[in-house]
Each structure stands twice: as C-alpha cells, then as structure tokens.
Amino acid sequence: MLSAHYLRRLPADYDLSAIRTRGKVRGALWDDAPELYFKGFLLREAGKYGATENSYSSLYLWRSDQAFADFLLTDRYRNVTSSFGRAAIETRVVLDARRGRAQHAQLVFEETHDIARDADLGQAFIREVECNRAEAARPGVVASVTALDTLGWRFSRYLLAESVDVRPSDSAIAYEVVHLARPLLDTLPEGQRG
C-alpha cells in the first residue's frame, strides 16, 4: 500500500470556486478507479482552519506501487499536469490504514512525527500502528492512515474526519475536502481500540 500527496500553491486572488467545481466534476471520474482506496480533492483557503495561503492538493491511498505507477502514465495524471504542471509527489510506504465508522469526510488532517535517530524501528512501528488503529476508532473518523517517509525518517499521519472537532492536535494541518472518491475505502479493516 502506498500514499501519494501533492500540493499546488495558488495566488491569493485565485478563484477558489473554480477549484471546488473542478474537484466535484473531476472527482466523480475517480469514484470507480481500480486499485484506489481513496482520493481526496483537497483545498486550503487562507484564513480558514489555520491556513495562511491558498493551495489545492490531492491525497491518494493506492493498493500497490504498480497502481500508482500506472496512474502516472494515464490521462488521469495528464489532466493534472496540463492544468497545473508536474508537482513534486510525496510518496510513503503505508504501515497501516483503517476505516472509521463515519461516512462523510469534510476535512483531512495531516501530521508528521520524526522518528528519533536511536529509536528501535520495530517498536516505533508497532506503537505507530496501534495509534492509527485507535485514531480510526474515534467518533467522527472516516479513515486513518499512517505512512513512513524513509528519506526523512518520519511518520506521516492522515485523518479523514467529519468535522474540525476530530482534529488530532493543534499542530495538524487541516484541508477542506472538496470531493472524496472512495472506490475501495470500505474494504479497509475497521479501526479498533488497543
């Protein structure tokens, strides 16, 4: 399993309604994408949820690295590059992904946590997976993902939530969900308390 996230900063005077419309129109084309657990069409608007600038991004949870590679070679990605150019795509190895009981994601929260240089990786991974399973079991959670960045040796956490009340911490970056395509999301195992 692989997560992929890319972000495009937008000018302060950019018409964000165009992004919302694009996300809703293009989003429907992803609702049955093979090998995709979910794709979030995400927006950050300056002045909302702590954002200081406007940006548009996409967050994917792929079943395999081959599915992600196939996506890069299709018209789906070409549509992105023809509108916004190539973006730096942050890819992560997923350690755990769980669905919650909530159904309608309004926000995605992103957090990163460094892994201490001298930490036992096995124990760190076990704790991270346990934390993710507990997060997914919280009320108001649609899905929870924890992934590993081996370049910076840090965990990336993504929490898809019904409301801002589910924010995991004050440091979590909040994205508005314009559309959530969820072809295989319901096949993920359900979260559970440790």
Side-chain angles (χ1 to χ4, degrees), residues 7-181:
L7 180 137
R8 287 294 195 193
R9 287 180 172 76
L10 301 171
D13 60 352
Y14 196 91
D15 179 10
L16 296 183
S17 66
I19 293 293
R20 287 185 174 91
T21 299
R22 177 186 173 88
K24 289 181 174 142
V25 170
R26 301 277 322 142
L29 302 174
W30 287 85
D31 288 339
D32 62 355
E35 300 298 306
L36 181 68
Y37 288 103
F38 66 78
K39 176 185 179 180
F41 292 78
L42 309 178
L43 179 67
R44 288 195 46 130
E45 183 176 350
K48 287 181 74 174
Y49 307 116
T52 57
E53 61 186 13
N54 297 329
S55 66
Y56 167 72
S57 66
S58 292
L59 174 65
Y60 304 81
L61 182 61
W62 292 101
R63 184 179 277 182
S64 69
D65 57 346
Q66 186 61 54
F68 172 65
D70 292 345
F71 152 69
L72 293 175
L73 301 174
T74 66
D75 286 341
R76 290 181 194 264
Y77 188 61
R78 203 167 294 118
N79 284 324
V80 174
T81 59
S82 65
S83 297
F84 298 100
R86 286 187 196 160
I89 303 175
E90 297 177 357
T91 56
R92 309 278 188 261
V93 176
V94 174
L95 299 177
D96 192 60
R98 302 279 161 167
R99 65 183 160 86
R101 293 198 172 120
Q103 292 298 311
H104 304 289
Q106 300 299 314
L107 298 163
V108 169
F109 297 105
E110 177 187 20
E111 292 183 289
T112 57
H113 299 277
D114 291 335
I115 302 170
R117 182 177 300 273
D118 295 329
D120 178 293
L121 288 179
Q123 290 302 311
F125 288 12
I126 289 168
R127 283 191 301 274
E128 188 65 17
V129 168
E130 288 172 353
C131 177
N132 190 66
R133 290 177 180 184
E135 282 292 295
R138 291 175 51 211
V141 171
V142 175
S144 183
V145 177
T146 188
L148 176 65
D149 166 13
T150 56
L151 184 62
W153 287 104
R154 66 180 61 99
F155 296 120
S156 293
R157 297 176 182 168
Y158 304 99
L159 188 72
L160 286 65
E162 283 186 326
S163 73
V164 72
D165 298 332
V166 186
R167 187 179 214 135
S169 73
D170 290 341
S171 64
I173 298 169
Y175 299 86
E176 173 189 343
V177 176
V178 175
H179 180 81
L180 181 66

